[in-house]
Amino acid sequence: MSEAFGGTTSMRCWRVRRPGPIEGGPLHAERAPLPEPGPGDLMVRVLACGVCRTDLHVAEGDLPVHRAGVVPGHEVVGEVVAVGQAVRREGFAVGDRVGIAWLRHTCGECEFCLRGAENLCPRSAYTGWDADGGYAEFACVPAGYALRLPAGYTDADTAPLLCAGIIGYRALRRADVPPGGRLGIYGFGGSAHIAAQVAVAQGAEVHVMTRDPAARELASALGAASVRGAADPPPVPLDSAILFAPVGALVPPAMAALDRGGVLAVAGIHLSDIPALNYQRHLFQEKEIRSVTANTRADAREFLAFASEHRIHLTTHGYSLDMADRALVDLAHGRFTGAAVLVP
């Protein structure tokens, strides 16, 4: 192993040592031994890793600890540098460019896996939460969960597609937007600015509600029909809506904005408490609230195929690996639009 990588036996990485407020420094930079791929794994040299709000939830302890001292990061673009001896049918080889996403294991045997809902598998495992992720120079992934990447995108632009893009795509499906329908988007960060482009390309009329002036400008540039404040009513009743901001207080105004039979999809893995809903105003006339839980590999493949056929414009902000803690602080305080990406 050491001979294959110029004699080095260690790498730079960041670990969540003591989850807590990001200003308190829950991430610690260190050197660690190179990860060893198992028989069914690929080992990759990390070329870029997106900075996702889920990483912030892991660092701050909003999500329970699954692996003590985990290396976060699950939007990983990498070059395969080693292949486990049992990797055969997936057809990966040294030198391939691959993606490592959030979902990294399912049992394949439970009722959810067998009916095509592997994202609900009770034995599922996730990159950057259950296993070390991409805030590092090297990472490993089971070959069956590695993703082939669309051509025509830089490494930095590809990284956000691997979670922000995939989850936004699943959220669109969960929101059940009718053909030519009116879609509301609440919050306009990394995932929302991708999902909005997919929705527009599919013929939806998109209305964006966000508090950030720079995000409003970006939404307009990407084809939004209207852009308003975070809790403002849209100019028309909505057929569907997606809540990307992790703010439960936005659920009532989003539900009030829905037309009869409308659907709100809540896209985040964590949400602050939802205030009381009024049945007549928020839920009657067959309105629905649906959560979004991870994604399936089929979702990932469908979305990446879409990204290959339709050019998605990514707004990214690069940080060196040494500045991963700064990137999460900036994310927490909304200091950039679009998505942040670590480039080792």
Side-chain angles (χ1 to χ4, degrees):
M1 182 71 70
S2 61
E3 184 178 350
F5 307 114
T8 184
T9 58
S10 66
M11 65 176 184
R12 293 179 298 151
C13 67
W14 290 83
R15 294 190 183 277
V16 180
R17 288 301 184 191
R18 289 185 301 275
I22 195 64
E23 288 81 2
L27 283 185
H28 289 257
E30 57 186 68
R31 293 202 70 87
L34 293 179
E36 290 285 344
D41 292 348
L42 307 176
M43 179 179 175
V44 307
R45 186 191 309 274
V46 177
L47 303 176
C49 181
V51 177
C52 178
R53 187 164 291 276
T54 300
D55 302 335
L56 183 62
H57 293 317
V58 170
E60 294 199 311
D62 296 325
L63 299 179
V65 174
H66 279 195
R67 177 183 174 90
V70 73
V71 176
H74 55 274
E75 296 179 331
V76 183
V77 176
E79 177 191 1
V80 177
V81 294
V83 178
Q85 60 185 7
V87 177
R88 294 289 183 271
R89 64 180 181 183
E90 289 84 3
F92 292 108
V94 171
D96 286 350
R97 181 170 170 265
V98 301
I100 303 176
W102 178 237
L103 184 69
R104 69 180 292 117
H105 171 77
T106 54
C107 73
E109 301 172 346
C110 69
E111 60 178 303
F112 303 104
C113 287
L114 294 177
R115 75 182 193 207
E118 65 178 2
N119 60 307
L120 302 179
C121 174
R123 286 178 276 175
S124 56
Y126 303 95
T127 306
W129 193 19
D130 297 286
D132 288 342
Y135 285 28
E137 293 178 302
F138 294 88
C140 290
V141 62
Y145 292 81
L147 297 172
R148 299 190 184 278
L149 301 175
Y153 295 86
T154 65
D155 296 332
D157 281 354
T158 302
L161 299 179
L162 294 170
C163 180
I166 294 169
I167 290 298
Y169 182 79
R170 183 166 183 87
L172 273 172
R173 293 181 60 196
R174 293 285 290 162
D176 200 15
V177 187
R182 300 178 299 271
L183 171 69
I185 291 180
Y186 290 80
F188 205 74
S191 191
H193 95 287
I194 298 173
Q197 295 179 67
V198 177
V200 169
Q202 293 177 339
E205 178 183 299
V206 175
H207 300 269
V208 171
M209 277 61 70
T210 181
R211 65 182 181 180
D212 181 43
R216 292 181 198 173
E217 291 183 14
L218 178 60
S220 294
L222 293 176
S226 74
V227 184
R228 299 195 171 188
D232 291 344
V236 293
L238 303 173
D239 299 302
S240 306
I242 304 173
L243 175 59
F244 285 104
V247 182
L250 292 177
V251 171
M255 294 301 295
L258 289 176
D259 207 346
R260 299 179 178 212
V263 176
L264 170 66
V266 180
I269 193 173
H270 172 79
L271 187 71
S272 60
D273 289 345
I274 300 172
L277 299 176
N278 177 275
Y279 181 69
Q280 295 296 329
R281 185 180 180 199
H282 299 127
L283 292 171
F284 193 52
Q285 302 291 356
E286 299 192 353
K287 297 181 183 181
E288 298 181 44
I289 303 177
R290 299 176 180 174
S291 65
V292 178
T293 301
N295 62 274
T296 66
R297 284 172 286 178
D299 293 328
R301 289 190 290 265
E302 287 176 16
F303 169 69
L304 293 175
F306 181 94
S308 181
E309 297 173 4
H310 301 78
R311 178 65 190 181
I312 294 175
H313 299 280
L314 284 302
T315 299
T316 60
H317 303 268
Y319 292 78
S320 68
L321 179 60
D322 294 335
M323 296 179 66
D325 54 345
R326 172 63 182 274
L328 279 184
V329 170
D330 289 350
L331 173 63
H333 292 282
R335 292 175 181 156
F336 55 78
T337 55
V341 180
L342 304 180
V343 182

